[in-house]
Amino acid sequence: MTESAWHKEIKGWGVVTEISLGNRRADCQLHCGKRAEVQARPLPPAEVTGREAHTDLWILDCRAAHRARRLIVWSDPQFGTLLRWERPWQGFAISKRPVFLNLELDLRTGHGTFLQVTRWVFDGYRATGTGQIHTASALRSWMRYGLPPTGHLTVAL
């Protein structure tokens, strides 16, 4: 399968790409040593579980769902940043690793937005939860140089 431009871009934010781990591999390694799996499509639960044996976090391409308003993120004064995702990628309901949802990314400029999911619940064909917004620039700096985008990121991971 050919990698998309988005997949290549995100992998390139790590310090090393294509880390072999036995008969598996992780897409990239971050400055801190953590391994990221960059995913542009849904996976079945068994595949999520299998990949979590060799990865420390997920970065999911949710740009289409966000553009179509199936994935909505908003700020609430009482509860912080909230999310609602209609028809989410069900396989990730069992994920035990941190997840970052790419909401927007302009591959020409590098500008974009990511949501670090801090909690979510899958209920039928909807996922709801909370998160923390990061710019693409901040996430890229964290992955490549170890500069945390906020004081909370290193705690969550």
Side-chain angles (χ1 to χ4, degrees):
M1 179 179 288
T2 305
E3 289 183 331
S4 69
W6 175 85
H7 193 265
K8 288 178 184 175
E9 173 71 18
I10 302 299
K11 272 180 28 176
W13 293 359
V15 293
V16 179
T17 61
E18 301 295 327
I19 298 93
S20 294
L21 302 159
N23 63 347
R24 294 257 190 190
R25 64 170 175 73
D27 285 321
C28 65
Q29 183 172 328
L30 285 55
H31 181 269
C32 63
K34 294 192 181 297
R35 298 173 309 262
E37 190 69 24
V38 180
Q39 194 59 42
R41 62 180 175 79
L43 294 175
E47 184 69 15
V48 170
T49 300
R51 291 186 187 199
E52 287 197 343
H54 68 279
T55 194
D56 300 305
L57 64 103
W58 295 96
I59 302 173
L60 309 182
D61 184 4
C62 297
R63 296 173 301 158
H66 189 252
R67 275 191 308 271
R69 308 241 344 120
R70 287 190 307 109
L71 173 55
I72 300 171
V73 177
W74 71 98
S75 182
D76 180 275
Q78 183 176 357
F79 298 107
T81 303
L82 303 174
L83 75 97
R84 184 179 72 229
W85 189 359
E86 302 294 332
R87 297 187 320 273
W89 296 357
Q90 293 291 332
F92 288 92
I94 56 95
S95 175
K96 304 248 185 287
R97 306 289 189 214
V99 176
F100 292 82
L101 307 178
N102 184 195
L103 305 176
E104 309 170 291
L105 183 62
D106 184 328
L107 294 175
R108 290 176 295 113
T109 65
H111 293 97
T113 307
F114 288 76
L115 178 72
Q116 176 188 359
V117 177
T118 54
R119 180 180 178 278
W120 61 5
V121 175
F122 284 72
D123 183 18
Y125 290 100
R126 175 180 291 156
T128 56
T130 59
Q132 186 171 7
I133 295 288
H134 301 290
T135 65
S137 176
L139 194 65
R140 184 173 39 251
S141 293
W142 171 64
M143 290 174 67
R144 174 60 60 102
Y145 306 110
L147 303 172
T150 68
H152 302 290
L153 184 63
T154 53
V155 175
L157 295 175

